[in-house]
Amino acid sequence: MRISVKAPAKINLTLDVLAKRPDGYHEVEMVMTTVDLADRVDLTLRGDGEITLDCSASFVPDDIRNHAYKAAVLLKERYHVREGVHLYIDKQIPVAAGLAGGSSDAAATLRGLNQLWNLGLSLDELAAVGAEIGSDVPFCVYGGTALAKGRGEQITHLGAPAPCWVILAKPPIGVSTADVYGNLRVPEIDNHPATGEMLMAISDQDFSLMCQSLGNVLENVTLPLHPQVRQIKELMMASGADGVLMSGSGPTVFALVQKEAKVHRIYNALRGFVKDVFVARMLGAQEGEMLA
Ligand code: ATP
């Protein structure tokens, strides 16, 4: 038996860091939404109980360091499952890009195994297992649009934002999320995003308020280190983007636009500057068909 599950990328519409906690994690407040740039995870039942993994991108680890592999091991142990699984990840989301590709693969694996192994678990139960793998995994289990608090695992579901295009550009550098958080000086942050206004923009489907309320405090660390990220933001704005922001810890930058003609203009301007450019749509509210 074999099933395939989509693992969509996420972008941060806001990312705020409120405090560094005694346990070493940061207290965050983020509005996140899924876009239709997605990996595909194929899950094939193994009767011998083994867990194995292949990925189309050879530089992605294929053992316990892979978040999807870890998800399968945790779920198998937690629910005393006798069967195994072979996982194949068709990688479309750029790696170490601020788009939660690994977290989304883990979440897709949890959803897929729930079906393949007939576990009958709720999304909340899967999200609780996901939280042990990484802070972004619970959000990825649900998909859609949400406010994430705590270290990212406390999820409040939101409605769909105003429909729009998302143009993503990733400069050819990898950014370590741990390093970016490590270099952030929380007491010195003076550009906290207007999270309340972003929540209002989403509930009113107000596209221009959504664009005005975009904000990510991790830009304070990543932009000075990688001038290309700022250059991409400037190029997007100069080409007519309605709003631009770096996603997560970067280096991917996204532009939001509503008019299709602008999509082509921004895409063409970026292609002369950076190779990895993607055009996507926001997936909006939680979508049943996405949750295999
Ligand atoms: P986040 O936004 O959650 O910090 P990211 O998009 O910045 O994530 P990922 O693409 O998830 O970063 O990859 C981060 C690291 O995790 C990579 O260095 C990679 O080696 C490792 N990794 C583990 N599992 C996966 C996976 N399934 N896909 C991609 N990378 C993975």
Side-chain angles (χ1 to χ4, degrees):
M1 186 181 170
R2 176 178 142 171
I3 55 172
S4 294
V5 186
K6 264 194 203 170
K10 65 89 191 163
I11 55 170
N12 290 85
L13 299 177
T14 63
L15 193 163
D16 201 3
V17 178
L18 306 177
K20 181 150 191 215
R21 311 191 323 192
D23 64 4
Y25 286 106
H26 286 82
E27 194 68 24
V28 298
E29 194 168 64
M30 315 186 277
V31 176
M32 303 199 275
T33 191
T34 39
V35 297
D36 65 358
L37 167 65
D39 293 343
R40 193 191 73 242
V41 183
D42 297 333
L43 304 95
T44 310
L45 194 67
R46 284 187 67 135
D48 61 3
E50 294 288 314
I51 293 170
T52 49
L53 183 144
D54 275 326
C55 182
S56 60
S58 55
F59 54 89
V60 170
D62 60 1
D63 51 23
I64 194 69
R65 291 168 297 167
N66 193 299
H67 300 325
Y69 189 103
K70 211 178 283 174
V73 169
L74 261 182
L75 203 64
K76 181 174 161 70
E77 283 173 4
R78 187 70 36 90
Y79 292 95
H80 312 291
V81 177
R82 252 185 289 144
E83 293 107 325
V85 67
H86 178 70
L87 301 168
Y88 174 74
I89 301 173
D90 177 35
K91 199 88 203 140
Q92 300 295 327
I93 305 171
V95 175
L99 299 173
S103 301
S104 193
D105 294 344
T109 300
L110 292 172
R111 293 197 310 266
L113 287 176
N114 193 30
Q115 195 174 315
L116 196 73
W117 288 344
N118 274 315
L119 297 174
L121 300 171
S122 66
L123 290 181
D124 290 348
E125 287 169 310
L126 295 176
V129 177
E132 297 177 39
I133 302 161
S135 303
D136 283 346
V137 181
F139 167 75
C140 294
V141 165
Y142 303 105
T145 306
L147 173 69
K149 293 171 89 160
R151 62 179 175 88
E153 85 289 9
Q154 295 166 19
I155 304 295
T156 306
H157 301 293
L158 304 173
C164 65
W165 296 94
V166 185
I167 302 124
L168 303 119
K170 183 196 163 283
I173 42 174
V175 167
S176 151
T177 304
D179 288 352
V180 172
Y181 274 98
N183 287 318
L184 184 71
R185 293 203 180 77
V186 181
E188 289 173 21
I189 298 172
D190 59 2
N191 57 346
H192 291 281
T195 308
E197 292 191 7
M198 180 58 79
L199 296 177
M200 210 185 310
I202 290 169
S203 75
D204 293 350
Q205 295 208 313
D206 182 337
F207 179 70
S208 61
L209 184 61
M210 175 166 72
C211 292
Q212 284 163 37
S213 313
L214 293 169
N216 178 352
V217 297
L218 299 184
E219 287 189 344
N220 296 339
V221 178
T222 306
L223 262 56
L225 283 176
H226 302 291
Q228 274 170 297
V229 177
R230 191 189 299 279
Q231 286 164 358
I232 292 174
K233 287 189 75 178
E234 288 168 359
L235 187 56
M236 284 172 163
M237 284 312 282
S239 312
D242 297 307
V244 304
L245 192 70
M246 184 182 83
S247 186
S249 52
T252 303
V253 176
F254 65 86
L256 302 182
V257 294
Q258 275 192 314
K259 292 207 178 85
E260 205 169 337
K262 282 189 181 179
V263 175
H264 301 297
R265 205 190 316 152
I266 296 170
Y267 182 84
N268 290 333
L270 287 165
R271 279 309 297 252
F273 189 71
V274 61
K275 195 166 71 54
D276 286 336
V277 186
F278 308 90
V279 176
R281 296 282 293 176
M282 277 192 199
L283 283 171
Q286 268 178 276
E287 299 204 355
E289 75 269 23
M290 209 180 73
L291 307 174

